[in-house]
C-alpha cells in the first residue's frame, strides 16, 4: 500500500498538475480562448449552456464538500494527503465552471439563484446521499461514493461533453480536458485505497452497495431528466445551432455520433458507459454492482 | 506593461482574484518550482552533533503537530465557510497544510527517523495537543469565527513567528524547507485577519466572544511558544519580540 500511496504525494501532484498539464492555462484554458460569440448571443443556446454548466457546478460543489470532509475521517497520513490534493482539484473545478457561468453572462449576484433555478433535483439528492455518509465520518462509504460513483459519473459526462465541444467550443473543451485528467487520478485512488479496506471490513459491503444503488438511482433519473425529459429543448437547441452553423458535423463517442443521435440515444450511451465503468471498478474493489429501480 | 496589483481592484473583484485557485497556482509557482519536498536538489545534508539532531527532531515533530491541526481544521472549515471565496481559499490552505506536513515528515526521514508518525506522537508538546483538540472542537461545533481566529490568527501567527526565528539559525536544508512554508503562512494569516476584520466591522458584537476565545487559548499559545523556542534555541533576549508579534496580530483585530 505504501508504494501505491507514495504515487499520490503533493510533490508529485505539483509536478503533474500546476507545473504539468495546467501550465500556462487561466481558469483551465488557454488565455486567448473565449466562449463562442454565437453561444453567448443566442438565448436558446446560452440557456442550455447555463443549464449544463449548473449541473457541473452542483456536482463539483458536492465533490469539494466530500473530499474536504473526508480528510479528517482518513485513517492514515498518505490518504489525508491525497484527499488534500483532491480538495484543491475539486475547488478548481468549482471555480472554473462557476467562471464559465460568468462568461455566459450570469451576474455574480445572480449566481446562487441561477444554481437554484437550474439544478436538477435528482442530482441534488444524489449529492445528499453521499454527503450524509461524509458527515457521519464514514471513510469507506465516502470514498466509494465520491471516488468511484461520483467521479466515475463525472468522468464519462466530461468525456461526452468534451467530444461534443472539441470543434465548436475549444475553450470549454480545454477546461474539460484538465478536469478529466484530475478525475482519472481520483478514480485511481478510490480503486486502490478502498480495495484493501473492503477486504479488511467485509461486513461493510452490504451497506456500501446499498448506497451505490441509491446514488445510481438518482444519477439515472438525472440523465433521464436531462435527455428524454428535456428532449424538446435538446432538439430545439440543436435546430437553432444548425441554423446558426454552430456545432460539429460529427462527434463520435463510444461508437455513437453525438451530433446526430436522438436524446434517447444520447441518454442510453451515457448511462451504458457509466454503468459499465461502475461494474468494472466496483468489481476491482470487491463490491458487486447493485441495479437500482429504473426511474419513471 | 505595469505589474498586476490585486489591491487596485474593487473589493469583490479583489476577493475573486486573491482567493482563487488560479492565484494560488501563480503564487506558489514562484517559490516551489525546482524544489523537491521543499529543498533544492543537491543541497548537501549538514553534519550535526547528536544533541543538535535530537533537538531538531523534537522541533520538527511539534511542527508536524501544528500542521496536522491546521490540515484537519482547514479541511473541516471548507464545508462551513460562509461564501464561495472563503471555501476556495480554504481549499488552497488544505493543500498547503498537507504539503507542510509532507515536507516536515520528509525532513524527519532525512534525519534518520524511521517511523515519523510514531515519533511525532512520542514528542508532541501536550500544550500544543490541547490547543489542537480545542481548535478541532470549534470546527466540529461549526463555530466559524472562533475556528478561523484560533487557526488563521493564533496558530498561524505562532507558526509564522517561530518558523521565521528558526530560519535564522537553521541548517541549510531545514532553512530551505521553512522558507517555502513561511511564504504560505503569510497568505493564511492575511486571510484570517481580512476575513475576521470584515466580520467584526459588520458585527462588532462578535468581538466579545472572540476575546473570550483568546483568553482561553492565550496560555496554551504562550507556553507552547516558550517550549518550542527552547527546543529551537531562540535566544531569551529575542523572545519578547516573538510574543509581541502574536499580541500585535490580536490587537489589530481589537481583541485586547
Amino acid at each position: 500500500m505504501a508504494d501505491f500511496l507514495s504515487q499520490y504525494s503533493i510533490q508529485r501532484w505539483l509536478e503533474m498538475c500546476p507545473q504539468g498539464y495546467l501550465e500556462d492555462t487561466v481558469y483551465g484554458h488557454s488565455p486567448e480562448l473565449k466562449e463562442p460569440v454565437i453561444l453567448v448571443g443566442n438565448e436558446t443556446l446560452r440557456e442550455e449552456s447555463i443549464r449544463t454548466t449548473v449541473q457541473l457546478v452542483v456536482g463539483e460543489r458536492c465533490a469539494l464538500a466530500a473530499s474536504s470532509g473526508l480528510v479528517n475521517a482518513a485513517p492514515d497520513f498518505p490518504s489525508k494527503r491525497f484527499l488534500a490534493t483532491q480538495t484543491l482539484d475539486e475547488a478548481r473545478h468549482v471555480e472554473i465552471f462557476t467562471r464559465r457561468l460568468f462568461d455566459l453572462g450570469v451576474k455574480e449576484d445572480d449566481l446562487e439563484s441561477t444554481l437554484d433555478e437550474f439544478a436538477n433535483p435528482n442530482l441534488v439528492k444524489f449529492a445528499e446521499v453521499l454527503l450524509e455518509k461524509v458527515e457521519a465520518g464514514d471513510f469507506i462509504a465516502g470514498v466509494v461514493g465520491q471516488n468511484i460513483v461520483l467521479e466515475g459519473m463525472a468522468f464519462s459526462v466530461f468525456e461526452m461533453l468534451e467530444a461534443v465541444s472539441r470543434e465548436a467550443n475549444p475553450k470549454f473543451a480545454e477546461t474539460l480536458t484538465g478536469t478529466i485528467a484530475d478525475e482519472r487520478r481520483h478514480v485511481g485512488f478510490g480503486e486502490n485505497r478502498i480495495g484493501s479496506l473492503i477486504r479488511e471490513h467485509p461486513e461493510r459491503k452490504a451497506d456500501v452497495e446499498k448506497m451505490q444503488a441509491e446514488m445510481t438511482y438518482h444519477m439515472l433519473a438525472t440523465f433521464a431528466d436531462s435527455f428524454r425529459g428535456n428532449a424538446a429543448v435538446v432538439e430545439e437547441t440543436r435546430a437553432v445551432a444548425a441554423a446558426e452553423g454552430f456545432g460539429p458535423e460529427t462527434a463520435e463517442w463510444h461508437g455513437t455520433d453525438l451530433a446526430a443521435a436522438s436524446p434517447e440515444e444520447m441518454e442510453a450511451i451515457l448511462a451504458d458507459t457509466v454503468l459499465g465503468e461502475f461494474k468494472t471498478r466496483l468489481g476491482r474493489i470487491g463490491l458487486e454492482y447493485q441495479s437500482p429501480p429504473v426511474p419513471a | 506593461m505595469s505589474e498586476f496589483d490585486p489591491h487596485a481592484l474593487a473589493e469583490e473583484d479583489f476577493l475573486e482574484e486573491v482567493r482563487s485557485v488560479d492565484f494560488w497556482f501563480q503564487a506558489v509557482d514562484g517559490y516551489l518550482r525546482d524544489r523537491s519536498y521543499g529543498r533544492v536538489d543537491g543541497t548537501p545534508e549538514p553534519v550535526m552533533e547528536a544533541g543538535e539532531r535530537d533537538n531538531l527532531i523534537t522541533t520538527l515533530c511539534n511542527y508536524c503537530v501544528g500542521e496536522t491541526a491546521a490540515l484537519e481544521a482547514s479541511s473541516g472549515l471548507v464545508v462551513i465557510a460562509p461564501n464561495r471565496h472563503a471555501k476556495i481559499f480554504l481549499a488552497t490552505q488544505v493543500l498547503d497544510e498537507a504539503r507542510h506536513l509532507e515536507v516536515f515528515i520528509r525532513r524527519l526521514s532525512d534525519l534518520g527517523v524511521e517511523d515519523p508518525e510514531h515519533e511525532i506522537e512520542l514528542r508532541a508538546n501536550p500544550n500544543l495537543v490541547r490547543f489542537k483538540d480545542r481548535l478541532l472542537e470549534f470546527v466540529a461545533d461549526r463555530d466559524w469565527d472562533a475556528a478561523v481566529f484560533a487557526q488563521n490568527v493564533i496558530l498561524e501567527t505562532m507558526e509564522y513567528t517561530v518558523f521565521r526565528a528558526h530560519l535564522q539559525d537553521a541548517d541549510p536544508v531545514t532553512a530551505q524547507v521553512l522558507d517555502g512554508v513561511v511564504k504560505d503562512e503569510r497568505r493564511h494569516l492575511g486571510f484570517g485577519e481580512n476575513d475576521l476584520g470584515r466580520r467584526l466591522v459588520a458585527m462588532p458584537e462578535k468581538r466579545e466572544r472572540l476575546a473570550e476565545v483568546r483568553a482561553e487559548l492565550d496560555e496554551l499559545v504562550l507556553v507552547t511558544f516558550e517550549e518550542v523556542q527552547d527546543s529551537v534555541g531562540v535566544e531569551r533576549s529575542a523572545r519578547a519580540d516573538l510574543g509581541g508579534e502574536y499580541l500585535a496580530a490580536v490587537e489589530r483585530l481589537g481583541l485586547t
Side-chain angles (χ1 to χ4, degrees):
Chain A
M1 187 181 80
D3 282 348
F4 130 71
L5 284 170
S6 69
Q7 295 303 305
Y8 292 98
S9 71
I10 290 169
Q11 179 63 35
R12 187 163 157 72
W13 178 88
L14 284 167
E15 290 163 4
M16 280 173 62
C17 199
Q19 296 165 10
Y21 55 83
L22 294 178
E23 178 116 57
D24 299 327
T25 62
V26 176
Y27 294 105
H29 58 82
S30 304
E32 71 278 9
L33 293 177
K34 306 253 185 274
E35 288 295 326
V37 173
I38 181 68
L39 202 62
V40 181
N42 182 292
E43 199 47 35
T44 304
L45 299 179
R46 190 179 83 94
E47 186 171 311
E48 264 315 281
S49 297
I50 289 173
R51 187 190 309 280
T52 300
T53 310
V54 162
Q55 313 317 320
L56 305 185
V57 174
V58 170
E60 296 297 349
R61 280 188 174 189
C62 171
L64 172 59
S67 53
S68 58
L70 285 169
V71 170
N72 284 349
D76 50 75
F77 170 63
S79 297
K80 286 182 193 289
R81 178 176 63 177
F82 169 78
L83 286 162
T85 65
Q86 185 168 353
T87 296
L88 191 91
D89 290 334
E90 307 301 359
R92 189 181 78 82
H93 302 168
V94 171
E95 180 172 286
I96 58 181
F97 293 133
T98 302
R99 180 57 70 126
R100 182 170 196 240
L101 289 176
F102 297 151
D103 291 346
L104 290 167
V106 174
K107 299 278 182 285
E108 167 89 33
D109 288 346
D110 298 335
L111 176 63
E112 296 305 321
S113 60
T114 302
L115 292 173
D116 290 342
E117 180 185 349
F118 289 102
N120 186 304
N122 277 299
L123 186 59
V124 173
K125 285 183 190 150
F126 172 92
E128 285 169 357
V129 174
L130 169 58
L131 293 178
E132 191 182 311
K133 299 293 184 189
V134 173
E135 181 84 5
D138 186 338
F139 184 72
I140 296 177
V143 173
V144 172
Q146 152 134 324
N147 288 53
I148 305 287
V149 181
L150 170 58
E151 300 284 333
M153 174 183 75
F155 186 80
S156 294
V157 169
F158 292 163
E159 275 198 335
M160 186 184 198
L161 288 172
E162 195 276 336
V164 174
S165 307
R166 202 175 300 148
E167 258 181 55
N169 189 346
K171 171 190 173 257
F172 188 39
E174 273 193 16
T175 307
L176 290 163
T177 301
T179 58
I180 289 166
D182 293 338
E183 306 298 6
R184 188 173 290 128
R185 199 166 51 245
H186 303 164
V187 172
F189 170 82
E191 278 184 27
N192 284 296
R193 183 68 189 94
I194 290 300
S196 59
L197 284 175
I198 291 284
R199 280 192 295 279
E200 286 168 33
H201 301 280
E203 74 282 2
R204 294 299 319 279
K205 280 187 182 181
D207 181 43
V208 174
E209 286 173 350
K210 181 169 172 283
M211 175 198 68
Q212 170 262 305
E214 205 178 337
M215 289 180 76
T216 305
Y217 175 87
H218 294 303
M219 178 192 78
L220 293 175
T222 305
F223 291 169
D225 290 344
S226 304
F227 292 100
R228 265 180 298 156
N230 199 33
V233 175
V234 172
E235 296 291 12
E236 184 196 349
T237 306
R238 189 177 275 173
V240 170
E244 297 281 359
F246 178 73
E249 284 183 14
T250 59
E252 192 78 8
W253 188 66
H254 287 272
T256 298
D257 180 5
L258 299 173
S262 67
E264 289 81 0
E265 288 168 332
M266 290 169 83
E267 180 188 335
I269 186 65
L270 178 59
D272 286 351
T273 303
V274 176
L275 296 184
E277 290 286 321
F278 279 2
K279 286 171 191 165
T280 304
R281 295 182 192 283
L282 290 166
R284 283 184 194 146
I285 60 172
L287 293 175
E288 196 173 328
Y289 170 77
Q290 302 297 311
S291 296
V294 178
Chain B
M1 196 170 73
S2 62
E3 199 172 308
F4 169 67
D5 176 12
H7 296 281
L9 297 169
E11 181 176 319
E12 191 59 33
D13 293 337
F14 172 79
L15 294 178
E16 181 82 28
E17 181 67 32
V18 302
R19 295 183 184 173
S20 69
V21 175
D22 226 55
F23 186 82
W24 182 89
F25 278 173
Q26 293 163 37
V28 301
D29 192 53
Y31 55 88
L32 293 184
R33 188 177 286 267
D34 302 328
R35 292 197 176 202
S36 180
Y37 294 92
R39 64 188 281 181
V40 177
D41 283 340
T43 309
E45 193 59 51
V47 179
M48 282 183 212
E49 290 181 7
E52 186 188 357
R53 179 181 158 282
D54 196 63
N55 272 348
L56 180 57
I57 289 171
T58 299
T59 302
L60 291 170
C61 283
N62 281 289
Y63 290 174
C64 288
V65 176
E67 297 298 347
T68 303
L71 170 60
E72 295 187 1
S74 54
S75 58
L77 282 170
V78 171
V79 78
I80 62 170
N83 56 63
R84 68 185 180 87
H85 297 308
K87 280 183 195 292
I88 299 282
F89 179 85
L90 282 162
T92 67
Q93 186 169 346
V94 170
L95 195 283
D96 288 334
E97 308 298 2
R99 190 186 76 80
H100 301 169
L101 205 43
E102 176 173 282
V103 295
F104 287 141
I105 287 176
R106 175 58 70 110
R107 187 78 192 108
L108 285 169
S109 298
D110 292 344
L111 292 167
V113 176
E114 286 183 7
D115 184 352
E117 291 186 56
H118 179 62
E119 204 65 34
I120 292 163
E121 262 183 53
L122 287 179
R123 300 188 187 224
N125 181 311
N127 287 301
L128 192 52
V129 173
R130 278 174 57 207
F131 180 91
K132 176 188 168 198
D133 291 344
R134 193 69 185 105
L135 168 60
L136 295 178
E137 280 173 17
F138 291 136
V139 176
D141 292 343
R142 304 174 80 91
D143 187 342
W144 170 260
D145 295 310
V148 169
F149 178 60
Q151 167 171 287
N152 282 60
V153 177
I154 298 181
L155 179 59
E156 296 287 344
T157 303
M158 180 164 68
E159 291 182 338
Y160 181 66
T161 308
V162 170
F163 293 165
R164 277 196 313 156
H166 187 182
L167 196 50
Q168 307 304 314
D169 301 319
D171 66 84
V173 175
T174 304
Q176 287 169 1
V177 171
L178 284 169
D179 180 57
V181 174
V182 164
K183 289 184 168 106
D184 292 338
E185 305 295 12
R186 188 178 294 133
R187 209 165 42 242
H188 305 162
L189 267 171
F191 169 80
E193 288 195 30
N194 190 290
D195 182 84
L196 282 180
R198 285 166 197 269
R199 289 170 71 81
L200 289 174
V201 167
M203 293 171 278
E205 69 278 8
K206 289 182 179 292
R207 214 173 282 277
E208 194 179 337
R209 161 86 177 111
L210 291 186
E212 285 170 13
V213 173
R214 184 213 157 165
E216 181 194 340
L217 297 179
D218 255 2
E219 190 188 340
L220 291 179
V221 172
L222 295 172
V223 171
T224 306
F225 248 172
E226 282 294 315
E227 292 173 355
V228 172
Q229 287 172 93
D230 279 340
S231 66
V232 174
V234 177
E235 294 289 335
R236 290 252 157 216
S237 58
R239 296 190 184 189
D241 290 343
L242 299 180
E245 290 204 31
Y246 161 66
L247 294 172
V250 292
E251 279 169 17
R252 276 196 292 277
L253 291 167
L255 303 174
T256 50

